[in-house]
Amino acid sequence: LPSFGDWIRNTRLRSMAESLRADLQMARAEAIRRNTTTRLQFVTSLDNSCALSASGIAWVVNAGAAQSPEGACSAETGAASAPFLIRKSPVVTSSGADLRLQASRSTLAFDSLGWQTASTAPATSVAIVTVGFSSRNNTCAAAGGSVRCLNVVVSPAGDSRICDPARTAATDPMRC
């Protein structure tokens, strides 16, 4: 039974990491399609009490280099008014409350060529961004635990990939 719990936890972590990677690719594609800056921003919730947070478990994609979704995350996607939401992350249910997300910054912006770009409100620069997915209650395999924690890494060129910090072999394509 404990291994079944680990399997469920690992599956949730993998699913959230894949959802984030898909939304990063979508944000990048929307920036190219719309010929304008789009941003993926991590938030504390998807309701009107949301705030930007590098450790929030939810995220939104919106148009504009300086448009923050703070206080308006429950707005409809596709609306022609601020915060110009394009997409929202999957809702984390109580069964997924064990998940933890920690990003190296709260906001990633993509320009009309699909590359990372600087933005304002909050001010960001172009850099490698790492988003770690782990369990609040269990230890990662890299530290000797049973949970297979994952990272999503975004390059300055806008590419993203999923990697496993527990894998260290130089020839392993899943290493971070």
Short mmCIF file of all heavy atoms in Angstrom, two decimals, residues 33-58:
data_model
loop_
_atom_site.label_atom_id
_atom_site.label_comp_id
_atom_site.label_asym_id
_atom_site.label_seq_id
_atom_site.Cartn_x
_atom_site.Cartn_y
_atom_site.Cartn_z
N ARG A 33 1.86 33.98 -32.41
CA ARG A 33 0.61 34.13 -33.16
C ARG A 33 0.04 35.54 -33.05
O ARG A 33 -0.40 36.13 -34.03
CB ARG A 33 -0.42 33.13 -32.66
CG ARG A 33 -1.72 33.13 -33.45
CD ARG A 33 -2.69 32.09 -32.93
NE ARG A 33 -3.36 32.48 -31.71
CZ ARG A 33 -4.40 33.31 -31.64
NH1 ARG A 33 -4.86 33.88 -32.72
NH2 ARG A 33 -4.96 33.59 -30.49
N ARG A 34 0.07 36.11 -31.84
CA ARG A 34 -0.50 37.44 -31.62
C ARG A 34 0.48 38.57 -31.93
O ARG A 34 0.11 39.73 -31.89
CB ARG A 34 -0.95 37.57 -30.16
CG ARG A 34 -2.09 36.65 -29.79
CD ARG A 34 -2.34 36.69 -28.30
NE ARG A 34 -3.35 35.75 -27.91
CZ ARG A 34 -4.52 36.08 -27.37
NH1 ARG A 34 -4.80 37.33 -27.14
NH2 ARG A 34 -5.39 35.16 -27.04
N ASN A 35 1.76 38.22 -32.13
CA ASN A 35 2.81 39.21 -32.38
C ASN A 35 2.90 40.21 -31.24
O ASN A 35 3.02 41.42 -31.45
CB ASN A 35 2.58 39.92 -33.72
CG ASN A 35 3.85 40.62 -34.19
OD1 ASN A 35 4.96 40.20 -33.87
ND2 ASN A 35 3.69 41.71 -34.92
N THR A 36 2.80 39.69 -30.02
CA THR A 36 2.89 40.53 -28.83
C THR A 36 3.44 39.71 -27.68
O THR A 36 3.49 38.49 -27.75
CB THR A 36 1.51 41.12 -28.46
OG1 THR A 36 1.68 42.09 -27.45
CG2 THR A 36 0.56 40.05 -27.97
N THR A 37 3.84 40.36 -26.63
CA THR A 37 4.36 39.67 -25.46
C THR A 37 3.23 38.94 -24.73
O THR A 37 2.15 39.48 -24.55
CB THR A 37 5.02 40.69 -24.50
OG1 THR A 37 6.08 41.34 -25.20
CG2 THR A 37 5.58 40.00 -23.27
N THR A 38 3.51 37.71 -24.33
CA THR A 38 2.62 36.98 -23.45
C THR A 38 3.43 36.55 -22.24
O THR A 38 4.66 36.43 -22.31
CB THR A 38 1.98 35.73 -24.10
OG1 THR A 38 3.01 34.83 -24.47
CG2 THR A 38 1.14 36.10 -25.30
N ARG A 39 2.72 36.34 -21.12
CA ARG A 39 3.41 35.97 -19.88
C ARG A 39 2.73 34.78 -19.22
O ARG A 39 1.52 34.67 -19.26
CB ARG A 39 3.44 37.14 -18.91
CG ARG A 39 4.08 38.35 -19.51
CD ARG A 39 4.43 39.47 -18.60
NE ARG A 39 3.50 39.82 -17.56
CZ ARG A 39 3.79 40.68 -16.59
NH1 ARG A 39 4.98 41.24 -16.53
NH2 ARG A 39 2.92 40.99 -15.67
N LEU A 40 3.54 33.93 -18.63
CA LEU A 40 3.05 32.89 -17.75
C LEU A 40 3.45 33.33 -16.36
O LEU A 40 4.63 33.60 -16.12
CB LEU A 40 3.65 31.52 -18.08
CG LEU A 40 3.06 30.38 -17.24
CD1 LEU A 40 2.81 29.16 -18.11
CD2 LEU A 40 3.94 30.04 -16.07
N GLN A 41 2.45 33.43 -15.46
CA GLN A 41 2.72 33.95 -14.12
C GLN A 41 2.18 33.00 -13.08
O GLN A 41 1.04 32.53 -13.18
CB GLN A 41 2.08 35.33 -13.98
CG GLN A 41 2.67 36.31 -14.99
CD GLN A 41 2.05 37.67 -14.90
OE1 GLN A 41 2.41 38.46 -14.04
NE2 GLN A 41 1.10 37.95 -15.79
N PHE A 42 3.00 32.69 -12.08
CA PHE A 42 2.60 31.81 -10.99
C PHE A 42 1.83 32.62 -9.96
O PHE A 42 2.23 33.72 -9.60
CB PHE A 42 3.83 31.15 -10.35
CG PHE A 42 4.56 30.27 -11.32
CD1 PHE A 42 5.73 30.69 -11.91
CD2 PHE A 42 4.05 29.02 -11.66
CE1 PHE A 42 6.40 29.89 -12.82
CE2 PHE A 42 4.70 28.21 -12.57
CZ PHE A 42 5.87 28.65 -13.15
N VAL A 43 0.70 32.06 -9.53
CA VAL A 43 -0.18 32.75 -8.59
C VAL A 43 -0.57 31.82 -7.44
O VAL A 43 -0.45 30.61 -7.53
CB VAL A 43 -1.46 33.28 -9.30
CG1 VAL A 43 -1.13 34.38 -10.28
CG2 VAL A 43 -2.21 32.16 -10.01
N THR A 44 -1.04 32.43 -6.37
CA THR A 44 -1.40 31.68 -5.16
C THR A 44 -2.71 30.92 -5.30
O THR A 44 -2.92 29.92 -4.61
CB THR A 44 -1.50 32.62 -3.95
OG1 THR A 44 -2.43 33.68 -4.28
CG2 THR A 44 -0.15 33.22 -3.62
N SER A 45 -3.60 31.37 -6.17
CA SER A 45 -4.90 30.72 -6.37
C SER A 45 -5.47 31.18 -7.70
O SER A 45 -4.92 32.06 -8.35
CB SER A 45 -5.85 31.08 -5.23
OG SER A 45 -6.14 32.46 -5.25
N LEU A 46 -6.61 30.61 -8.08
CA LEU A 46 -7.27 31.02 -9.32
C LEU A 46 -8.56 31.79 -9.05
O LEU A 46 -9.44 31.86 -9.89
CB LEU A 46 -7.55 29.79 -10.19
CG LEU A 46 -6.31 29.11 -10.76
CD1 LEU A 46 -6.70 27.84 -11.51
CD2 LEU A 46 -5.51 30.05 -11.65
N ASP A 47 -8.64 32.41 -7.88
CA ASP A 47 -9.81 33.24 -7.57
C ASP A 47 -9.36 34.70 -7.50
O ASP A 47 -8.23 35.04 -7.82
CB ASP A 47 -10.48 32.78 -6.27
CG ASP A 47 -9.54 32.80 -5.08
OD1 ASP A 47 -8.53 33.53 -5.10
OD2 ASP A 47 -9.82 32.07 -4.11
N ASN A 48 -10.24 35.59 -7.06
CA ASN A 48 -9.91 37.02 -7.04
C ASN A 48 -8.99 37.42 -5.90
O ASN A 48 -8.63 38.59 -5.79
CB ASN A 48 -11.18 37.85 -7.02
CG ASN A 48 -11.82 37.90 -8.40
OD1 ASN A 48 -11.14 37.67 -9.41
ND2 ASN A 48 -13.11 38.16 -8.46
N SER A 49 -8.60 36.48 -5.05
CA SER A 49 -7.63 36.81 -3.99
C SER A 49 -6.21 36.43 -4.41
O SER A 49 -5.30 36.45 -3.60
CB SER A 49 -8.00 36.08 -2.70
OG SER A 49 -7.85 34.68 -2.86
N CYS A 50 -6.03 36.11 -5.68
CA CYS A 50 -4.72 35.63 -6.14
C CYS A 50 -3.66 36.73 -6.08
O CYS A 50 -3.95 37.92 -6.20
CB CYS A 50 -4.82 35.10 -7.56
SG CYS A 50 -5.18 36.34 -8.81
N ALA A 51 -2.44 36.29 -5.87
CA ALA A 51 -1.28 37.18 -5.87
C ALA A 51 -0.13 36.45 -6.56
O ALA A 51 -0.09 35.22 -6.56
CB ALA A 51 -0.88 37.54 -4.44
N LEU A 52 0.78 37.20 -7.15
CA LEU A 52 1.95 36.59 -7.77
C LEU A 52 2.80 35.94 -6.70
O LEU A 52 3.01 36.52 -5.63
CB LEU A 52 2.78 37.63 -8.52
CG LEU A 52 2.15 38.24 -9.77
CD1 LEU A 52 3.08 39.27 -10.37
CD2 LEU A 52 1.79 37.19 -10.78
N SER A 53 3.29 34.74 -6.98
CA SER A 53 4.12 34.03 -6.02
C SER A 53 4.93 32.97 -6.74
O SER A 53 4.37 32.16 -7.48
CB SER A 53 3.25 33.36 -4.95
OG SER A 53 4.04 32.55 -4.12
N ALA A 54 6.23 32.96 -6.50
CA ALA A 54 7.10 31.95 -7.10
C ALA A 54 6.85 30.58 -6.48
O ALA A 54 7.37 29.59 -6.97
CB ALA A 54 8.56 32.35 -6.94
N SER A 55 6.07 30.52 -5.42
CA SER A 55 5.75 29.23 -4.80
C SER A 55 4.25 28.93 -4.86
O SER A 55 3.77 28.07 -4.14
CB SER A 55 6.24 29.19 -3.36
OG SER A 55 5.64 30.21 -2.60
N GLY A 56 3.53 29.63 -5.72
CA GLY A 56 2.11 29.35 -5.90
C GLY A 56 1.92 28.05 -6.67
O GLY A 56 2.76 27.69 -7.49
N ILE A 57 0.85 27.34 -6.45
CA ILE A 57 0.63 26.06 -7.13
C ILE A 57 -0.19 26.22 -8.41
O ILE A 57 -0.45 25.27 -9.13
CB ILE A 57 -0.02 25.03 -6.18
CG1 ILE A 57 0.04 23.62 -6.76
CG2 ILE A 57 -1.45 25.43 -5.84
CD1 ILE A 57 1.41 23.06 -6.95
N ALA A 58 -0.59 27.43 -8.74
CA ALA A 58 -1.38 27.69 -9.94
C ALA A 58 -0.63 28.68 -10.83
O ALA A 58 0.30 29.35 -10.39
CB ALA A 58 -2.74 28.24 -9.55
#
